[in-house]
Amino acid sequence: MKKPVPFYSEMTKGKNAFTLFIDPETKEVFRANHKSINQIFYWIAFVLILALLRAVKVIPITYEHPVTLFAFTLVTIVIGMGIGISFYKGTIGELRPLDISTESIKDYMQDGKKHYRNELLMAALLFAISIIFTVLFLIYLSFIWLIASFFSFLILGCIICNISFIRYQILFRNKLEFDKE
């Protein structure tokens, strides 16, 4: 079995958020409820970021140390994206098979197209913003821009988890043909 592909997510306030997945080979549909993250996680992350910022103050960030500058930039991007991806994966619950009609799948896929376009647009916008923040850090060597870059890459990491070429093919190129059944 190939890895199931997400094709629809619902996150309505007051309702249990979920994502629907489909196996491209078997056309079997799965549902994964989203898990909420414990507030302690946020406090631990906040304390770790403060400790990291305090430790970073002693490292010289100047144009005379280009290797350090490059390392800060690269580490910011990798850690931001990595935390964003792991955060997203941590919110997705266990996949459970879902018995659903073909018409319902098509309806969800129609809505999923809108979500996918919005996700692509948001990912492109966040990528541009992340690059701008990174360039501003490289120009001004201010940690404010580095922190802004980190958080924008973190959010980008959360968003890009659902973006894939297989999902595009399923939603827009009718890779799954339900009419032949």
Side-chain angles (χ1 to χ4, degrees):
M1 176 173 93
K2 280 188 176 180
K3 183 179 171 188
V5 178
F7 68 93
Y8 177 79
S9 289
E10 185 170 291
M11 292 178 224
T12 306
K13 189 171 181 137
K15 288 186 175 181
N16 192 10
F18 67 91
T19 299
L20 296 179
F21 294 80
I22 192 162
D23 183 334
E25 291 179 357
T26 65
K27 299 179 188 169
E28 188 176 5
V29 177
F30 301 93
R31 177 184 169 133
N33 290 334
H34 294 206
K35 299 183 279 186
S36 61
I37 302 297
N38 191 340
Q39 293 296 320
I40 293 172
F41 172 79
Y42 293 113
W43 284 107
I44 291 171
F46 179 71
V47 169
L48 289 174
I49 288 172
L50 286 178
L52 182 65
L53 287 174
R54 193 169 190 83
V56 164
K57 284 184 177 181
V58 298
I59 300 172
I61 302 294
T62 64
Y63 292 118
E64 289 133 17
H65 298 97
V67 174
T68 306
L69 192 60
F70 177 73
F72 260 91
T73 306
L74 188 62
V75 166
T76 298
I77 293 169
V78 170
I79 291 177
M81 292 284 289
I83 290 173
I85 290 168
S86 65
F87 175 78
Y88 173 79
K89 289 183 178 182
T91 61
I92 299 295
E94 181 181 333
L95 294 177
R96 295 174 299 143
L98 188 65
D99 189 23
I100 188 170
S101 70
T102 303
E103 288 305 313
S104 293
I105 293 172
K106 289 180 182 179
D107 290 341
Y108 279 124
M109 284 189 172
Q110 195 64 32
D111 288 343
K113 286 180 183 182
K114 295 173 196 165
H115 291 285
Y116 191 72
R117 285 185 191 115
N118 291 340
E119 287 173 14
L120 280 175
L121 181 63
M122 190 178 302
L125 183 64
L126 268 168
F127 181 73
I129 289 170
S130 300
I131 296 301
I132 289 169
F133 286 156
T134 302
V135 168
L136 288 171
F137 166 70
L138 292 172
I139 291 171
Y140 296 110
L141 300 180
S142 172
F143 280 110
I144 295 297
W145 295 119
L146 186 67
I147 294 168
S149 173
F150 171 79
F151 282 110
S152 60
F153 276 112
L154 188 141
I155 296 168
L156 180 63
C158 290
I159 292 175
I160 64 166
C161 288
N162 273 341
I163 297 174
S164 71
F165 185 66
I166 295 171
R167 183 177 173 200
Y168 170 78
Q169 288 179 322
I170 289 171
L171 292 174
F172 292 97
R173 297 292 178 222
N174 298 325
K175 185 178 178 189
L176 300 179
E177 295 180 18
F178 291 102
D179 299 330
K180 294 182 178 179
E181 294 178 2

